[in-house]
Amino acid sequence: MRILSGVQPSGRLHIGNWFGAIRQFVKLQNDGHDCFYFLANYHALTSSQDKAFLAESTMHLATGMISLGIDPEKSTLFVQSDVPQVAELTWFLNCVCPMGLLERATSFKDKVQRGIQANVGLFDYPVLQAADILIYDSNVVPVGADQKQHLEITRDLAGKLNLAWGDNLLVVPEPYIVESTAVVPGIDGQKMSKSYDNTIEIFATDKATTKRCRQIVTDSTPLEDPKDPATCNVFSLIKLFASPEELAEIEAAYRAGGYGYGHAKNRLGELINAEFAQARERYEQLRSRPDDVKDMLAEGGRKARKVADATMARIREASGILTSY
Ligand code: ADP
Ligand code: TRP
C-alpha cells in the first residue's frame, strides 16, 4: 500500500501539524508501509514569493520532520520540486477539470475572504495537489480535516482523467483522517494555522513555549470558581498531551474550583516541553548538518522521480501526446 502526504514549507511546524498529520506519517512508516512524504514548495509559492523565507522554511521543515521520526531510510522523503513531472501532470488534470470544481473549493474562498491576493496558482492549488497524489499511485493520504475537500477533488479528477483516456490509468486514493485530532485549536480557539498567527510551535525553547501557552485565550471566571473544561481552549490542548489519569484529575479540578487557568496553562507548557524534548534535541543536532539533510532529500527525489516518470509515460501514451525526443 502506497501512503503519501505533503506539508508546505511556509513557516514553522506547530502542534496542529503533529497531531493532524505528522504523527500519522510516523506511525504508518513504522507499521512498514511504503511511504512517500514531501515538502510542498510549489504550493508554498502560491502564498509567498519571499526567497529567503522559502529557503529557510524548507530546511526547517525537512530537519523538523526527520527529528519528529520520519526516517529517510524507511520513507521516501523529498522536495516536491525535485519531481517537476508533477507540474506536467497538473496540466493534464487542468484540461479535464471543470472551472466550477475549483470555484467551489472552500480553502480558496477562505483565503480570498481573508484578503489574500488571489493568483492563478492559488486557484489551481487543488489540481497541483491532485497531481502530487496521483503521480505516485498513492492509495492512502493521511491529512488533517482541512484537507478533506482537496482529497475529494483529487478523487474526482482521477475519475475524470480515467474517463477521458483509459480506465485504471490513475489510482483513486482514500483520505486518512484521525477524527479525534483532526482539528487542533490554536491559542485563540480557531483552527491552529500558520496563517492565523495562533500556533504553538514544536521547535521553540521551553521558555517560549510556556510563554505562548500563557497567551491562550480564556474567559474571565475567577480562580476560585468552578470552570467548564468542555469550553476551555487550554483544556482542549491538555487533552492531547496528558495521560488519562492526569486528565481526569485536571477535569475534576476545573469543576471543583480553586484551580485557575494560569495553573492549567503552566501545566500545558510542561506537558508540551516533555513531549517534544527528544525531538528538539535531535533538531538541534541535525540543524548543524544541513548538507546531510540535503543529501537525504536528494536520494528521496531520485526514488520519487522514477515512479513519476513511469506514470507520465503512461499518460502521455494514453492521451495521444507525441513524444519525439
Ligand atoms: P497550516 O494550516 O498551519 O498552514 P499546513 O497547511 O502546512 O498547516 O498543514 C500541514 C498538515 O497539517 C496538513 O495535513 C493539515 O491538515 C495538518 N494540520 C494543519 N493544521 C492543523 C490543525 N490545526 N489541526 C489538525 N491538523 C492540522
Ligand atoms: N495542501 C496541503 C496542506 O496545506 C499540502 C499538500 C500539498 C498535500 N500536496 C499534498 C497534502 C498532497 C497531501 C497530499 O497541508
Side-chain angles (χ1 to χ4, degrees):
M1 193 163 71
R2 167 76 40 84
I3 312 287
L4 171 130
S5 196
V7 180
Q8 291 187 71
S10 55
R12 299 185 60 85
L13 281 165
H14 56 74
I15 63 179
N17 298 141
W18 171 246
F19 287 103
I22 298 173
R23 187 168 68 157
Q24 282 69 260
F25 298 1
V26 174
K27 168 114 190 8
L28 290 161
Q29 163 196 279
N30 293 340
D31 287 347
H33 294 293
D34 177 15
C35 298
F36 276 44
Y37 300 126
F38 67 93
L39 319 183
N41 58 350
Y42 283 157
H43 279 105
L45 288 180
T46 63
S47 55
S48 164
Q49 292 83 40
D50 181 329
K51 176 182 173 183
F53 176 72
L54 181 61
E56 141 74 26
S57 298
T58 304
M59 284 311 289
H60 167 75
L61 181 58
T63 310
M65 285 175 75
I66 297 169
S67 305
L68 286 166
I70 304 296
D71 178 352
E73 299 273 316
K74 295 184 186 157
S75 293
T76 302
L77 178 67
F78 63 103
V79 184
Q80 184 183 32
S81 59
D82 276 350
V83 190
Q85 290 85 337
V86 290
E88 185 185 1
L89 180 56
T90 301
W91 187 254
F92 284 83
L93 293 170
N94 274 337
C95 295
V96 297
C97 180
M99 289 287 286
L101 194 60
L102 300 185
E103 280 160 357
R104 285 192 297 276
T106 50
S107 76
F108 175 72
K109 286 194 283 191
D110 285 353
K111 283 180 184 159
V112 173
Q113 229 169 28
R114 277 188 283 121
I116 294 172
Q117 273 271 322
N119 52 50
V120 177
L122 189 63
F123 185 66
D124 207 33
Y125 184 114
V127 183
L128 176 59
Q129 179 160 351
D132 287 329
I133 297 169
L134 300 171
I135 206 164
Y136 303 111
D137 296 328
S138 313
N139 303 108
V140 174
V141 184
V143 281
D146 57 341
Q147 297 299 311
K148 214 173 188 160
Q149 195 189 31
H150 286 157
L151 264 293
E152 280 158 17
I153 295 174
T154 301
R155 290 168 54 86
D156 216 345
L157 290 179
K160 287 188 191 306
L161 190 139
N162 287 345
L163 194 66
W165 292 310
D167 290 345
N168 307 323
L169 267 177
L170 295 174
V171 175
V172 182
E174 298 287 339
Y176 174 57
I177 297 170
V178 175
E179 290 303 335
S180 59
T181 54
V183 185
V184 174
I187 63 165
D188 56 358
Q190 285 195 68
K191 183 199 107 126
M192 185 176 290
S193 171
K194 280 167 285 198
S195 19
Y196 302 161
D197 195 19
N198 65 355
T199 67
I200 299 175
E201 288 179 17
I202 297 175
F203 297 104
T205 61
D206 288 4
K207 207 169 149 205
T209 304
T210 307
K211 192 168 162 212
R212 194 64 170 158
C213 290
R214 294 223 185 89
Q215 294 168 345
I216 297 172
V217 177
T218 48
D219 61 31
S220 52
T221 314
L223 189 144
E224 58 278 8
D225 287 11
K227 300 174 185 63
D228 182 5
T231 57
C232 175
N233 295 327
V234 188
F235 190 80
S236 309
L237 291 166
I238 288 179
K239 253 192 196 161
L240 299 170
F241 294 94
S243 66
E245 297 76 37
E246 181 173 12
L247 192 65
E249 270 171 36
I250 296 176
E251 186 168 357
Y254 262 75
R255 294 194 197 285
Y259 183 82
Y261 291 125
H263 296 126
K265 289 176 180 180
N266 286 340
R267 183 61 192 141
L268 175 63
E270 288 169 3
L271 287 166
I272 296 174
N273 290 334
E275 175 94 6
F276 296 116
Q278 270 190 7
R280 286 173 179 176
E281 245 176 63
R282 282 197 291 268
Y283 183 87
E284 282 313 312
Q285 288 164 6
L286 200 56
R287 208 156 66 108
S288 59
R289 294 163 34 214
D291 289 342
D292 290 350
V293 174
K294 285 180 192 156
D295 285 348
M296 295 178 210
L297 294 173
E299 180 55 30
R302 274 190 284 278
K303 286 193 215 152
R305 275 197 301 277
K306 254 198 194 149
V307 182
D309 269 334
T311 308
M312 285 321 300
R314 220 157 65 211
I315 290 173
R316 286 193 207 111
E317 157 90 31
S319 60
I321 286 281
L322 173 71
T323 307
S324 54
Y325 54 83

